[in-house]
Amino acid sequence: MLLATSSKGHDSEVEVPKEFPELNKILENGMSDIPELEKMDHSVDSFLRYWCIEGASLAIMRNDSLVYAKGYGWADKEKGVRMSPSTKLRMASVSKLVTAAGIMHLKDQGRLALQSPVFGPYGILNRFDDAYKDQNYCLITVEDLLRHEGGFTTRAGDPMFSTVVMERQMGLSSPPTQDELVRHLLRQRLTYTPGKDRSYSNFGYLLLSMVIEEVTGMPYETYMRDSVLAPAGCYDFHIGGNYYAERLPGESRYYMQPDSEDVPDINDNSRMVPKCYGGNDVSGLSGAGGWIASTSELARFVASIDLRDAVPDILSPESIRQMTTWVDEATYSLGWVDTKPDGEWTRTGSFSGTSALVKVYPDGECWIMVTNTSSWRGSRFSKNVSGFFRRLRHRWSAVLPARDLFLDGTRA
């Protein structure tokens, strides 16, 4: 029996199915020391050195089988801890894929519809209806938030990464609670009519996290871990902390580029800190960007929402098709940042101290890399990783072993 504990203090017991071993307890680097792939490993090491990345974790699936999982470089250089396939890392906006799956799970249960209003008299979050005057808020649907069409923009800065500014505006000495942040932002008029345009919105996915809490009556993390992640065979996902002292067992240290400047601490504006440790309210991002996990468990999660047969899906075929159907070049997919008509799906994530890329290819392969170091290219770094994946696949895909590390971590 595995005890799942929410960061908000709610405990629940999750039965670990025998067919789903706890990956972070059985995977280690030695399992992926394959002589035929030594040159690929050298290429990864060279790529990380070129971009000044301290450490990264790589997981490769083929048709829902985990065929390769390895850590490169340092998980904690100062303590001499190497990266491994079990190291947990912040995944930034890849968290949105998890949140979208939670929404679709509730849809499958008949507990909400994608066209359900978020605000207004019949809205899921109608407790905030006294906070806004712009009646366009009543037009926002769950699907609008999933597709980044809720009417929010970041022209004045992203409120989810402007914690110090929010504190000053609101007269606070510590980060605002989720309810305080929502009430503050709802006082502003929407930039466009919901559903009529689009602008990438972290705030929209915070609202979706709160929708999940409202519908289920449970803290977001608790519901997601018990009802969505555990059935997928993922038992070691957590909402991360803001500081090095708050890291979880097995979690990586995070690094900035050598020339990066310190920023004010979100809990003490007079103190300067590395941006990856106290510069952002990571835990406050919730389902917009707060999850941490190993790449191995993240691969397991992707396998549970991909319509392939080897790993049972946790969502209905209809919901998975809704998440992955291409609409047009201008429309965001549900949870995924992009899904192509040919079956290539992409989810990216990036903020201070981490970068993540999930690529599902039409031939059944899925490549996932998460780093523990900021890149000077910021969110654009994912394009470099995507190109790197393309080169590695061209050279090494045929050499990947025929095995499934999901089964027991060792079976060839």
Side-chain angles (χ1 to χ4, degrees):
M1 186 79 73
L2 177 70
L3 185 67
T5 305
S6 167
S7 62
K8 297 184 180 181
H10 294 256
D11 294 343
S12 58
E13 291 186 344
V14 179
E15 187 72 37
V16 179
K18 292 181 179 179
E19 65 270 29
F20 299 158
E22 295 176 59
L23 294 175
N24 289 351
K25 293 184 177 180
I26 61 176
L27 293 178
E28 56 188 36
N29 269 344
M31 297 171 181
S32 289
D33 289 339
I34 299 172
E36 293 83 358
L37 294 176
E38 286 183 1
K39 290 184 178 179
M40 186 182 83
D41 290 338
H42 294 327
S43 295
V44 176
D45 287 331
S46 296
F47 180 82
L48 299 181
R49 283 196 301 271
Y50 177 83
W51 289 101
C52 299
I53 305 295
E54 292 290 353
S57 183
L58 172 68
I60 306 172
M61 283 196 304
R62 177 179 287 146
N63 296 325
D64 280 2
S65 294
L66 184 64
V67 298
Y68 202 74
K70 190 165 185 176
Y72 299 85
W74 298 103
D76 192 329
K77 188 174 183 178
E78 290 75 3
K79 291 191 173 182
V81 179
R82 291 282 182 179
M83 188 71 74
S84 83
S86 299
T87 301
K88 294 188 282 288
L89 294 129
R90 293 171 177 171
M91 64 179 73
S93 283
V94 174
S95 301
K96 293 179 175 66
L97 183 60
V98 180
T99 299
I103 291 290
M104 301 307 280
H105 185 260
L106 291 173
K107 182 193 77 72
D108 285 343
Q109 294 179 321
R111 302 174 74 178
L112 59 72
L114 295 189
Q115 295 309 309
S116 296
V118 178
F119 301 107
Y122 304 103
I124 299 169
L125 300 180
N126 59 18
R127 72 178 188 273
F128 293 109
D129 284 359
D130 62 336
Y132 59 83
K133 295 182 179 179
D134 183 350
Q135 292 305 303
N136 279 335
Y137 278 101
C138 299
L139 302 177
I140 299 174
T141 66
V142 169
E143 184 170 356
D144 289 334
L145 297 182
L146 285 168
R147 294 196 187 278
H148 301 278
E149 297 179 1
F152 310 107
T153 68
T154 56
R155 293 174 185 174
D158 190 332
M160 304 306 296
F161 291 97
S162 305
T163 305
V164 173
V165 175
M166 293 293 107
E167 289 173 16
R168 291 170 181 166
Q169 290 177 346
M170 300 168 70
L172 303 174
S173 58
S174 60
T177 65
Q178 289 182 358
D179 277 22
E180 288 173 338
L181 179 64
V182 170
R183 289 188 172 278
H184 177 75
L185 293 175
L186 292 187
R187 296 190 183 103
Q188 305 171 17
R189 294 185 65 84
L190 292 173
T191 306
Y192 59 87
T193 303
K196 301 300 183 182
D197 203 347
R198 61 208 52 82
S199 180
Y200 192 86
S201 176
N202 286 298
F203 178 58
Y205 269 75
L206 172 64
L207 292 176
L208 288 172
S209 307
M210 299 173 78
V211 163
I212 290 173
E213 292 187 327
E214 189 70 29
V215 171
T216 65
M218 299 172 65
Y220 167 80
E221 183 180 4
T222 301
Y223 179 78
M224 293 300 298
R225 290 180 63 193
D226 292 4
S227 300
V228 178
L229 293 164
C234 303
Y235 313 112
D236 212 2
F237 273 62
H238 308 268
I239 296 295
N242 295 330
Y243 299 96
Y244 179 72
E246 296 174 348
R247 71 197 185 285
L248 294 165
E251 182 180 0
S252 176
R253 179 190 285 263
Y254 304 100
Y255 298 88
M256 302 296 295
Q257 288 290 310
D259 59 349
S260 63
E261 297 181 355
D262 288 352
V263 300
D265 188 330
I266 57 174
N267 285 295
D268 180 359
N269 296 174
S270 65
R271 188 169 76 104
M272 303 300 286
V273 295
K275 197 170 184 179
C276 61
Y277 280 125
N280 291 317
D281 187 9
V282 176
S283 58
L285 287 167
S286 189
W291 285 107
I292 71 166
S294 68
T295 56
S296 304
E297 283 218 330
L298 182 53
R300 176 81 204 189
F301 174 71
V302 172
S304 74
I305 56 168
D306 68 354
L307 285 178
R308 292 184 170 86
D309 296 333
V311 170
D313 288 326
I314 58 172
L315 301 177
S316 68
E318 176 193 6
S319 287
I320 297 173
R321 291 189 187 98
Q322 285 181 293
M323 291 179 69
T324 57
T325 296
W326 183 84
V327 178
D328 55 49
E329 289 290 347
T331 302
Y332 284 103
S333 301
L334 306 182
W336 296 94
V337 75
D338 186 34
T339 55
K340 299 294 186 187
D342 66 358
E344 180 176 306
W345 309 339
T346 304
R347 181 64 256 181
T348 59
S350 176
F351 56 64
S352 301
T354 194
S355 180
L357 177 64
V358 179
K359 293 284 284 190
V360 176
Y361 298 96
D363 63 3
E365 283 189 3
C366 172
W367 288 56
I368 300 173
M369 179 180 280
V370 184
T371 75
N372 66 359
T373 310
S374 290
S375 164
W376 60 268
R377 292 207 71 199
S379 61
R380 295 173 298 169
F381 180 57
S382 62
K383 293 184 178 180
N384 298 90
V385 179
S386 182
F388 184 54
F389 280 179
R390 185 169 56 251
R391 295 190 297 274
L392 291 180
R393 273 171 38 87
H394 176 74
R395 177 65 181 85
W396 303 107
S397 182
V399 186
L400 292 171
R403 61 179 179 181
D404 189 359
L405 297 174
F406 284 145
L407 297 178
D408 59 14
T410 59
R411 193 153 140 187

